[in-house]
Amino acid sequence: MSYDVPIAPGETPDEISVEGPQSTAWPLWEVFMRPKRGLSHTHCGSLHAPDAESAILNARDAYTRLGDTASLWVVPSTHIHASSDPTSMFDPADDKPYRHPTFFEIPDEVGQL
Amino acid sequence: MAVEHQVQFDRTIEADEKIEPRDWMPDGYRSTLIRQIAQHAHSEVIGMQPEANWITRAPTLLRKAILIAKVQDEAGHGLYLYSATETLGISRDELQEMLHSGRQKYSSIFNYPTLSWADIGAIGWLVDGAAIVNQIMLQGTSYGPYSRAMVRICKEESFHARQGYAILMALAKGTDEQKAMLQDAIDRWWWPSLMMFGPHDSDSTHTEQSMEWKIKRISNDDLRQMYVDQTVPQAHYLGCSVPDPDLHFDEESGHWNFGAIDWDEFWTVVKGNGPMNRERINHKTKVWDDGAWVREAAVAYAEKQASRSTKIA
Amino acid sequence: MTVATTTNTLVGLLVRHADDNTILCQRLGEYVSGAPELEEDLAVANVALDHVGVAMHLYEYAAELDGGEASMDNYAMLRSEREFTNALLVEQPNVDFAHVVARGFFFDVYQTLLWAQLSASTDERLAGIAARAFKEATYHLRHSRAWMLRLGDGTAESHRRVQAAVDAVWRFTGELFVAVDADSELVAEGIGADVAALKPEFDRIVDATLEEATLVRPSDPYQATGGRSGMHTEHLGHLLAEMQWMQRTYPGATW
Ligand SMILES: [Fe+2]
Ligand SMILES: [Fe+2]
């Protein structure tokens, strides 16, 4: 398949260790963009930059080339704190179905609610 | 616990939902993805070289501008894909090191030289064309960040293929010399483009597992056939032939049947002995080494700035 | 064909600025895939792209005024070294990242001032091109200025290298502010820019940046000129040989 290089006969795929040496390169930044006014910023990817100024400029070059952006945020990746295991974290909502409007049956003649 | 995780993972794949970075995933799934996405990223970045080779010689200012924009997009694609790989817990530095040391590869297509302006057209049409067929399929891949990178990339790719074909259409309407240049480029890029889809399904060791994990959704041979079917008429539209005496349209199946691919050539290039393998990696490592002082300076400056601002505060 | 030496002074002005942008685009084009980090490759390509875009607008306008067979590619691809009127600064070679940054920085300061003034030109079309170019140049300057600071105040090596680059290209900066005689009427009519008047602001921005970057302005007062009258450094001939190769090899072909 294109861009996926097959392993040649007689060669073995390289072992990849995920816990490699700490990177000494420019820090990683997460990029969020607002596609247009009125919408929220959404995550669109990441990039490397030495500082916030260059992260913003690089984000502009990397993620806004099609001119579909109204605003950018960059955040050092190390500052993103994520929720843990999604199954245990968000399952509880399952037993509160009354939070969803469709839980309540309202006769049509009541009109818009 | 591990069994539970595996069940959850299988269920997600089964339901055609995406696996996201912090989800549990089998080690094999993770390492297959790292390898595939990283090599995809390397291909985008190394692929800048054969095309950048013609930026300074583009025949008109408009073609120059288009080519710069195109090469810039490829740098962007490399960036999106490194970014996706990094969500799997590996740094770009490590990936780059694996590329430079030859432990990870990039698509062999970029080990062929661009010898004429027509090659720039042929790359856009044939090489980006093949990449598009593949990448459209990969939009549906099971790993979320890879899939999203593919959606973003596919938005930009049709510009690439179209600008390439537009270059070739101009040649097709041009002088005899231009027409010869055009046919020569197709003759040289045709087979390597078909090879981009990789070995036949029967010889493709990892395809089955990748299909099971829904990392890939369509097999090498099926993608290749889709590509040939869409590309052959486009070659004819240019008034050109493709260098395959066995090529013919099969009325019954509705497909273009093509001749045997020279797999010896394919493996020779994959193993590092194509026309430009060394030059590509040498250029990449030289640029990287030459730039070390710049990257260090930027880090040193950022550190100075940070310590200055804490002092002020 | 070549483009006739024009008697229209506005054409002269448009072509001169377009030449600057074309030649710098060409230099940056050489550097694409050569930057120290992938993100910087994107930035270099971006600047190159902006420059060639502005050049095309200016040449296009010049061609219309010039009449006859002229087209933007005639200007770029079929004139000789002596006919190019770009500033010497932009034809200077890339050498290393520090040179790319220093050359870019001086040029970006100049261009932000130039386009700001030309966007108030009484010639509406020129004003429109300049207004757009001004926005782009502002961004280029933000980028190159930040790199001047990082390199100047980064490590000992980066400081040494960027100071060497400043020393090397400094003598090509004065020319940017030497008024071209033919322009005097255009300036009087409010069409052209009084480039000499931009110099104090250029000096102010440059001095402030150099100081913040812990760099020094070269003490050698010598300033080279000649680009505006087609007297170039030897670098330009090689650059043109490459840029014009296709059009010269296949005369009359359409691409
Ligand atoms: Fe791409
Ligand atoms: Fe592409």
Side-chain angles (χ1 to χ4, degrees), chain A residues 3, chain B residues 44 73-74 77 128 135 153 157 160:
Chain A
Y3 291 176
Chain B
E44 302 282 355
D73 275 355
E74 304 302 1
H77 296 176
D128 288 81
Q135 291 174 158
I153 285 174
E157 285 293 356
H160 297 179

Side-chain angles (χ1 to χ4, degrees), chain A residues 3, chain B residues 44 51 70-71 73-74 77 110 123-124 127-129 131-132 135 153 156-161 163:
Chain A
Y3 291 176
Chain B
E44 302 282 355
E51 294 190 278
K70 203 259 184 193
V71 175
D73 275 355
E74 304 302 1
H77 296 176
F110 301 118
I123 287 187
V127 176
D128 288 81
I132 290 169
Q135 291 174 158
I153 285 174
E156 297 172 352
E157 285 293 356
S158 81
F159 149 55
H160 297 179
Q163 64 85 33

Side-chain angles (χ1 to χ4, degrees), chain B residues 136-179:
Chain B
I136 286 176
M137 175 269 290
L138 284 171
Q139 291 184 84
T141 194
S142 59
Y143 187 56
Y146 194 22
S147 161
R148 292 191 287 275
M150 284 299 113
V151 170
R152 185 167 276 282
I153 285 174
C154 283
K155 269 195 210 166
E156 297 172 352
E157 285 293 356
S158 81
F159 149 55
H160 297 179
R162 293 171 78 101
Q163 64 85 33
Y165 200 71
I167 288 173
L168 301 183
M169 285 200 304
L171 298 179
K173 281 186 231 145
T175 63
D176 288 349
E177 252 175 322
Q178 287 175 298
K179 286 177 187 155

